[in-house]
Each structure stands twice: as structure tokens, then as C-alpha cells.
Amino acid sequence: MDDSCVVCADNLEWVAYGACGHRDVCSTCVARLRFICKDLRCCICKTESYVIFVTKTRTCMISILLLFQALGDYTRMINDFSVLPIEVREGRVGSYWYHEDTQAFFDDVAHYRMIKAMCRLSCIVCDKIEEQSNAGIKRRGKFRNIEQLKGHLFHQHRLVMCSLCLEGRKVFICEQKLYTRAQLNQHINTGDSEVDGTESERGGFLGHPMCEFCKSPFYGDTELYSHMSTEHYTCHICQRQHPGQYEYHKNYNDLEAR
């Protein structure tokens, strides 16, 4: 096993794995995949894992033991997942903590709370303010749905989320970017708002592609292609003469006129 996550390439400190035993993906990436995408498969072998176990990596634990000159191996390794409790609920379960939204058992309560916080609907602006003021988490507002959170962001902070990114960008709500109205327009049209970062940070993002006929933006080229293929028309004769080239027409009358 490498020292970095095969998905995000970050340092592999906390690992999440199922009965297949692949310990190559960090707990955050696995939680994001299970919670956002509802995909319970292992990223490596695609085996479906209804339950996973989250713990520190062996490399990380060895480093800690060497630091404190301790003896023994404290890394929790689950080889037989049938020993884990079934039909459990959120919270403490014996010596573990269970997170319902990701169907994961944790052997560390702090890491369990961190993943749980990432999965909840919360206002990151309020969270940061309370963290800086040492107010803790007791006063953090709870939102029943995403629409309520969006309303709070706009009325309390005059900030909005990009609805296209909200639908197409598979990240936690707390990882979604927040924009002013002006920044959002710039983000959609050219992708170079202050929130989107520098040119290198944007990774070539130049704004959301737009349908030339409907003047509606889409998350990416795949979504735009799906729209153009279902809502607009192409000439099948031209496609045969020029494979791979697509010229779209607004409607059938427009196609017939050409």
C-alpha cells in the first residue's frame, strides 16, 4: 500500500476499506463516494461493500509508535467483517462508532465526528465564525434541506452556490464554493472569478458551456452534448459525410431550411 490516496493523492492517514481488504483510498474520498454518489463499491476492485471500517493507516500508526517509543501494533485490522454488529444505529456501538450515512464503523471518535460533520447540511460561513470565536458547535444551525441552506446563505450572507456545480460537482456541501451574484455570473461565463482561484487552480475551467440556441448553461461538455442530442437536430447526411463533426440546428424547421 502506498502512502498516498489513489483517488486524491493526499497523504493516506485515515483509510476506509470493506471486506475486500483494499486499503488504498482515504476515508474522505470513500465517504464522499458513498454519501454523495451513493456508490458502495470499492474504488479498486468494484466489489460492493455494504459496511466499511475506518482507521488510521499502518504507516501512520508506526510513525506515532516510533515517536513515543511505544511497543506493539495498535492498528485496527478487520479481516472478518461478520464480527461487526448488524442492524445498528448512529453513534457508539461497543468500542466503535457507527455512521449511518456512509455505513461505516470508526475506531476513533474524533475522526467519526469529522466525517459526520462533512456529511451534514451546514453553513460554512457560520461554522468558520464560530470556530474563530471558540463558540463550538452547539449554536450551529440545522437545515432540513438544501433549499433552506441556500435561503440562509443568501439572506444572511448574500452568498449563493452555483446550481450547476451543486448538481454536477460530486463533493460535500461544505466543499461547494460560495459566490456573490457578480462572482457567480463571472464563474458561469468565463470561470475566472476570485472564488475559482488562479488559472492553475482552475485547471482549465473556462466557465460552464452554454447552448447557443437556448442560452442555457450546463455543468460540462457531457451534459451539453446530451442536451443538444435530445433537444436539437443534426443532419444525418452531413454526419455520414463528415464523421465526428456535429452541426446542430435549433429545430426541425431550421434543419429543413438549411
Side-chain angles (χ1 to χ4, degrees):
M1 184 179 69
D2 198 0
D3 293 336
S4 59
C5 171
V6 298
V7 176
C8 67
D10 284 347
N11 183 45
L12 194 59
E13 180 180 2
W14 293 92
V15 66
Y17 61 93
C20 61
H22 289 113
R23 304 177 179 91
D24 305 280
V25 184
C26 72
S27 58
T28 302
C29 285
V30 173
R32 189 184 291 114
L33 186 70
R34 296 171 74 88
F35 181 69
I36 304 296
C37 303
K38 308 302 179 186
D39 190 346
L40 304 182
R41 297 174 299 170
C42 169
C43 296
I44 306 301
C45 66
K46 302 304 178 184
T47 299
E48 198 163 79
S49 300
Y50 293 103
V51 175
I52 58 173
F53 189 73
V54 180
T55 187
K56 272 189 179 292
T57 62
R58 182 178 295 274
T59 302
C60 183
M61 288 302 299
I62 291 175
S63 299
I64 294 174
L65 294 174
L66 291 175
L67 179 63
F68 291 98
Q69 296 182 340
L71 299 175
D73 185 2
Y74 293 93
T75 306
R76 299 283 183 91
M77 308 302 289
I78 302 294
N79 296 315
D80 183 8
F81 273 64
S82 65
V83 303
L84 294 173
I86 58 175
E87 297 183 359
V88 292
R89 295 183 177 180
E90 183 77 36
R92 182 73 179 265
V93 180
S95 59
Y96 304 129
W97 287 265
Y98 181 71
H99 184 226
E100 289 183 349
D101 289 334
T102 56
Q103 295 174 263
F105 285 92
F106 294 75
D107 62 2
D108 182 89
V109 63
H111 195 61
Y112 156 74
R113 288 172 178 167
M114 187 198 81
I115 295 296
K116 183 179 179 180
M118 294 184 75
C119 292
R120 67 191 291 264
L121 281 176
S122 64
C123 172
I124 61 174
V125 180
C126 292
D127 289 351
K128 288 180 180 179
I129 293 174
E130 291 182 2
E131 287 173 1
Q132 293 172 356
S133 62
N134 297 319
I137 62 173
K138 292 183 179 180
R139 293 191 300 167
R140 292 181 183 177
K142 294 181 179 180
F143 303 95
R144 293 189 297 272
N145 51 54
I146 187 64
E147 293 302 321
Q148 191 179 55
L149 173 58
K150 288 163 67 176
H152 165 84
L153 286 168
F154 180 72
H155 294 295
Q156 296 297 321
H157 308 295
R158 287 295 183 266
L159 294 172
V160 294
M161 288 184 282
C162 174
S163 59
L164 298 172
C165 290
L166 197 60
E167 179 68 25
R169 190 167 173 251
K170 303 304 180 183
V171 297
F172 293 114
I173 292 297
C174 61
E175 296 175 313
Q176 292 286 356
K177 297 178 180 179
L178 302 179
Y179 303 87
T180 64
R181 286 292 188 184
Q183 289 171 341
L184 178 62
N185 291 334
Q186 197 170 7
H187 161 79
I188 293 175
N189 294 325
T190 59
D192 57 359
S193 72
E194 295 178 2
V195 181
D196 292 315
T198 63
E199 184 175 350
S200 60
E201 290 172 334
R202 295 197 302 274
F205 175 69
L206 300 176
H208 294 293
M210 183 173 295
C211 171
E212 59 180 303
F213 306 117
C214 303
K215 303 303 179 184
S216 298
F218 292 84
Y219 178 70
D221 292 334
T222 301
E223 290 76 12
L224 177 60
Y225 174 77
S226 177
H227 167 79
M228 300 297 286
S229 301
T230 57
E231 300 298 326
H232 302 293
Y233 293 82
T234 58
C235 173
H236 67 278
I237 299 177
C238 292
Q239 285 185 338
R240 289 178 181 177
Q241 293 178 340
H242 308 285
Q245 296 183 16
Y246 294 88
E247 182 180 355
Y248 291 95
H249 304 275
K250 183 177 182 179
N251 49 44
Y252 187 79
N253 292 332
D254 187 31
L255 173 62
E256 189 177 36
R258 297 295 177 90

